[in-house]
Amino acid sequence: MIILLAAGILSACGSGNDTNQNGEGVKEENREENPKQNDIVARFHPSIETKEDNNSIIINYKVKNLSGEPQKLSFLTGLQADYIIYDEKGKKIKQYSEEVMATQAISEMTIENNQEIQNSFAISDLYNGTYRIEVFLTAKEEQAKVVTDLIVEKSLYNKTSGILVGQMDPHTVEVDVKGEKVAFQLTEEAIGQLPSMKDGSEITFIFTENEIQKTIERFLLGN
């Protein structure tokens, strides 16, 4: 009996040692994984600054290499960065790469540790309102996307809605805006859109105004 009791005690001690070793092994593995994940997250730091200047929105987009070593980025076109703008309802209304011509030549660049690259955009055709903008790299290896709200308050362009009363002449329409009948001149773009609208229908449009007249720049079809 004494022999059996001693064997049981030794067996229990052995099991306890195995449990501690396994637990320590798991902790050690986690310590190895976490730094790698953190390195991936912190490899690049994107930032964005926006300001209104001379009826334009200036976007300054910066990306800094925080990886601790040089990083190579490769681009399929001459466009290093792109942006997408969404209106207050989340509808995409503008993307830079869809409006500019970019060369198709593949290019590469190396960003040294702590080095920062910058891309700037000037946007002049947004109407007054609230938007969301996403800016990102077009590199194959990294997007470094940053998202922020964008408020436009000093634009030449305004958005409004009304009831189309009718066409007064080839370049003028009358619109009922909040109970007031207003005459608007039409740009060539707006004239081309006009046949798709009926008198008495609700319309939404972008317009400019000065001391002499108000002009519909374009109708927002489908809104």
Side-chain angles (χ1 to χ4, degrees):
M1 291 180 63
I2 293 175
I3 294 173
L4 292 175
L5 180 59
I9 293 173
L10 290 174
S11 176
C13 291
S15 297
N17 290 337
D18 288 343
T19 301
N20 290 337
Q21 289 173 0
N22 290 339
E24 291 176 359
V26 172
K27 292 179 182 177
E28 187 66 29
E29 184 178 353
N30 288 338
R31 284 198 296 268
E32 290 178 357
E33 288 180 354
N34 288 337
K36 294 179 181 179
Q37 294 174 353
N38 293 336
D39 287 346
I40 293 174
V41 172
R43 189 170 57 166
F44 290 98
H45 175 69
S47 62
I48 185 174
E49 297 176 352
T50 65
K51 66 176 181 178
E52 286 193 75
D53 183 39
N54 294 327
N55 297 312
S56 295
I57 302 297
I58 307 301
I59 308 293
N60 289 318
Y61 169 62
K62 300 177 182 179
V63 178
K64 188 173 184 179
N65 177 11
L66 298 179
S67 67
E69 58 186 10
Q71 295 290 336
K72 185 183 75 172
L73 296 178
S74 54
F75 303 89
L76 299 180
T77 70
L79 194 65
Q80 290 186 358
D82 197 1
Y83 67 73
I84 302 176
I85 297 179
Y86 302 88
D87 65 13
E88 64 275 9
K89 296 182 179 179
K91 179 182 177 182
K92 174 183 169 180
I93 62 171
K94 189 179 186 66
Q95 182 164 354
Y96 182 64
S97 59
E98 295 177 350
E99 299 179 351
V100 298
M101 297 293 293
T103 61
Q104 297 299 313
I106 297 176
S107 62
E108 293 184 350
M109 68 182 303
T110 298
I111 307 178
E112 300 297 331
N113 183 46
N114 286 325
Q115 183 182 355
E116 190 174 67
I117 59 173
Q118 176 175 331
N119 286 267
S120 298
F121 308 94
I123 309 172
S124 60
D125 57 352
L126 292 178
Y127 54 84
N128 290 311
T130 302
Y131 305 85
R132 180 167 56 88
I133 182 170
E134 298 179 355
V135 191
F136 49 92
L137 294 177
T138 61
K140 181 176 64 176
E141 297 83 0
E142 177 69 41
Q143 275 198 320
K145 181 185 293 186
V146 60
V147 182
T148 189
D149 291 332
L150 183 63
I151 300 176
V152 180
E153 299 176 316
K154 302 176 182 178
S155 174
L156 294 174
Y157 302 94
N158 290 284
K159 173 185 173 183
T160 192
S161 298
I163 304 299
L164 179 61
V165 178
Q167 190 167 1
M168 302 173 68
D169 61 48
H171 295 87
T172 312
V173 294
E174 188 175 47
V175 183
D176 186 332
V177 180
K178 298 179 180 179
E180 179 183 358
K181 293 182 179 179
V182 182
F184 288 89
Q185 297 294 303
L186 301 174
T187 63
E188 292 300 321
E189 180 180 359
I191 290 173
Q193 295 175 302
L194 193 59
S196 63
M197 287 164 279
K198 298 180 180 180
D199 293 351
S201 62
E202 183 174 358
I203 56 174
T204 301
F205 52 91
I206 306 302
F207 72 97
T208 57
E209 63 178 312
N210 54 36
E211 296 177 355
I212 300 175
Q213 65 186 27
K214 296 183 179 182
T215 302
I216 294 179
E217 300 293 327
R218 66 183 185 277
F219 295 96
L220 300 179
L221 304 178
N223 284 13

